[in-house]
Amino acid sequence: MKTFLQRHQADIYGVLSGFDRVRFRGTRRAVSYPKGVMGLLWMFRILLKNLAQFLQGHTKQLKSVTEELAKGTPVGQVHYVNSSSESKEKVVARLVREHQVPDDFTGLVAVLSCVEPCRTFGVYRNREQKKLELRSMFRKCLHYYLYIRHPKFGLLHIRIQSWFPFQVQVCMNGREWLAKQMDEAGIEYVRQDNTFGWVADFAAVQELFDAQMRTDWSAMLSGLLREYHPAYVQLMEQLKLPEPYWTAEQTEWATDVSFRSAAALARLYPRLVRHAVHGLGCVDTMRFLQQKLTKSGTIPQRLKQEVVTDFKVRPEGMRVKHRVGANSVKMYDKPGLPLEITVLRAEATIHHAEGLKVYRPTEGNPDGAMRWLPLRRGVADLFRRCELSQRANEAYLEAMAVVDAPETLGTIVTPLSQRVQRRGRRFRGLQVMSADDRQVLAVLNRGEYTIMGIRNRDLSAALYGTAPGDAKERKQRSARVSRWLALMQAHGLIHKVNRSHRYTMTDKGRLCATAVLAATEASIQTFAQAA
């Protein structure tokens, strides 16, 4: 991203990175599986055949207290919406206008209801074993949406499932929260919807954004439930259910590059879109989202998710989206801001944490040794999820830096071909068009090494495949790879991570690798047209 910002710094006000839309899910893990529900029924001495009757009583109680809660809102009652045809946000905005809710009003604004799919449990008759069984199932039930103007977090909503196990969601927007933070700090800004085209102090505002990640999420989310629907919390206590286990069901992390004029971005953006659609492939998408590739740098055959790039023209602008399964990174412009300011947004969305890693102890031994483990969906690993999302945005914008790049291939390659000296040692120049040097650059530039870095053993496996059984050959390979790493470090293409055996690419290294690899894949016709 640094290269992109440096290249267009004359046209840029500043950059802001942080939460956009975030959806949390509160799960009662004790009753999230059939055996746990059976334990609850045993505790209340309820027969399995009476499960529906038992649950209906608590559903009626929840509906009654929620409708009573709605009477105290400015709208005055629960408003039913059709989930398939109406935007709930637009419905709330319309209700606010119709009931003339003051702009400075804080608290519960409106309660909506709608029938939507849910996960619950049902009783099935097993004819072979001649007994009843409890199974997890999907069905539809009524859900309540509590829309709140919070004095600290801005507009947010709480979604409550009216049927057992009474799942709850909290959906909030980091930009709404940031606006409240800037108002409290007295920082001026220009805002359009959830975008800030200009702020008086970008560095100070970024610090406010970063402060959001230091939130005690579990305490905050549970506190919202207790504050705005205490009867729901009391109902869960009657069922002797523990506090919800909070997970980040979906996170949108956006990096906004604020351009000084719409004309400046309008000249650049079509070329960015063209490069994103035609210049980036499925492997690049895997790298942006830190998904593991094969040792040869290809997509694993066992990958079940789709890797897709799509392009859409919307009324507000053009959008390019690169997706691996449910996770994605996308780019779009945000025109129509006051003062002719336009924002270029790169946004990473994570639904599924599979394939991502976090450096932590095991869950059952918090004081144990730290190691790289799968990223959890729980809010305990939300900080790491934000870090990975920011890396995805930075890598994506860095890939966009090649558009309108003033450097020629010659200005990049020529210095690399010269001999260099580092710490008293002399190193040869790189031959970037040779198969060996180009292969090493390609491996170092892989996305799976962006976050954790690459080790000697990783580079050896990528270059030579499975480690040989002969100890002498393994030692020779390790020494050969060490010389490769020293050579790349001497030319400033990689740097060593402190107190580790890992190396990561520098900005110079990524630019060189991208240019060289793109040049080797370009056709002669492309070079002829460029000339």
Side-chain angles (χ1 to χ4, degrees), residues 20-25 89 145-148 154-159 169-173 221 224 246 250:
D20 191 28
R21 186 169 178 265
V22 189
R23 187 170 69 235
F24 299 95
R25 177 184 289 273
E89 285 71 21
Y145 284 78
L146 281 62
Y147 277 84
I148 301 160
L155 183 66
L156 58 88
H157 74 256
I158 300 174
R159 176 182 184 261
Q169 293 178 349
V170 176
C171 187
M172 57 197 310
N173 194 297
L221 295 168
L224 288 174
W246 291 102
Q250 176 189 342

Side-chain angles (χ1 to χ4, degrees), residues 66-83:
T66 304
E67 290 174 1
E68 190 66 27
L69 184 69
K71 293 179 182 179
T73 66
V75 176
Q77 63 180 358
V78 175
H79 186 87
Y80 180 81
V81 297
N82 188 332
S83 61

Side-chain angles (χ1 to χ4, degrees), residues 7-50:
R7 188 150 292 154
H8 304 286
Q9 60 182 347
D11 296 323
I12 293 174
Y13 273 124
V15 183
L16 290 176
S17 295
F19 286 121
D20 191 28
R21 186 169 178 265
V22 189
R23 187 170 69 235
F24 299 95
R25 177 184 289 273
T27 305
R28 315 283 170 168
R29 291 202 286 183
V31 290
S32 61
Y33 58 103
K35 188 175 180 180
V37 179
M38 292 296 293
L40 178 69
L41 296 178
W42 181 87
M43 182 171 57
F44 283 96
R45 300 295 190 268
I46 302 297
L47 296 177
L48 188 56
K49 65 179 182 180
N50 297 328

Side-chain angles (χ1 to χ4, degrees), residues 16 35 39 48 88 118 125 132 163 165 192 198 250 449 530:
L16 290 176
K35 188 175 180 180
L48 188 56
K88 299 177 184 65
C118 69
R125 186 183 300 275
L132 298 178
W163 187 259
Q192 179 76 13
W198 173 87
Q250 176 189 342
Y449 304 129

Side-chain angles (χ1 to χ4, degrees), residues 169-190:
Q169 293 178 349
V170 176
C171 187
M172 57 197 310
N173 194 297
R175 264 63 180 176
E176 286 276 344
W177 185 354
L178 182 64
K180 296 292 184 181
Q181 291 175 293
M182 288 192 289
D183 289 340
E184 185 177 355
I187 300 176
E188 295 181 353
Y189 57 89
V190 175

Side-chain angles (χ1 to χ4, degrees), residues 246-385:
W246 291 102
T247 58
E249 189 175 42
Q250 176 189 342
T251 57
E252 295 177 353
W253 183 271
T255 297
D256 289 348
V257 182
S258 178
F259 279 74
R260 296 178 182 273
S261 70
L265 183 57
R267 290 191 299 268
L268 174 65
Y269 190 64
R271 293 193 289 274
L272 295 179
V273 171
R274 191 179 304 112
H275 176 66
V277 174
H278 299 290
L280 302 178
C282 295
V283 172
D284 298 295
T285 301
M286 295 283 285
R287 289 170 177 167
F288 295 143
L289 295 170
Q290 292 93 45
Q291 296 298 308
K292 192 172 183 179
L293 298 169
T294 64
K295 293 178 180 179
S296 60
T298 59
I299 297 177
Q301 292 184 354
R302 65 177 182 274
L303 184 71
K304 296 181 180 179
Q305 300 98 331
E306 285 186 316
V307 184
V308 179
T309 293
D310 67 78
F311 164 72
K312 288 185 178 180
V313 178
R314 305 174 300 173
E316 59 270 23
M318 293 183 287
R319 188 270 289 158
V320 182
K321 184 176 183 180
H322 313 269
R323 175 171 59 84
V324 179
N327 298 344
S328 67
V329 59
K330 57 187 176 183
M331 174 183 66
Y332 53 98
D333 55 342
K334 303 279 287 186
L337 288 166
L339 306 179
E340 289 298 315
I341 302 168
T342 306
V343 168
L344 174 68
R345 172 170 290 184
E347 183 178 295
T349 301
I350 296 181
H351 285 263
H352 298 154
E354 287 77 12
L356 303 177
K357 299 289 185 179
V358 59
Y359 194 61
R360 62 174 176 85
T362 58
E363 190 170 351
N365 185 18
D367 298 326
M370 303 280 284
R371 53 181 175 170
W372 289 104
L373 296 171
L375 184 73
R376 297 168 292 188
R377 296 189 185 187
V379 293
D381 286 347
L382 184 56
F383 185 89
R384 175 61 173 173
R385 181 187 286 227

Side-chain angles (χ1 to χ4, degrees), residues 47-58:
L47 296 177
L48 188 56
K49 65 179 182 180
N50 297 328
L51 173 65
Q53 182 180 357
F54 173 71
L55 299 180
Q56 284 174 357
H58 290 86

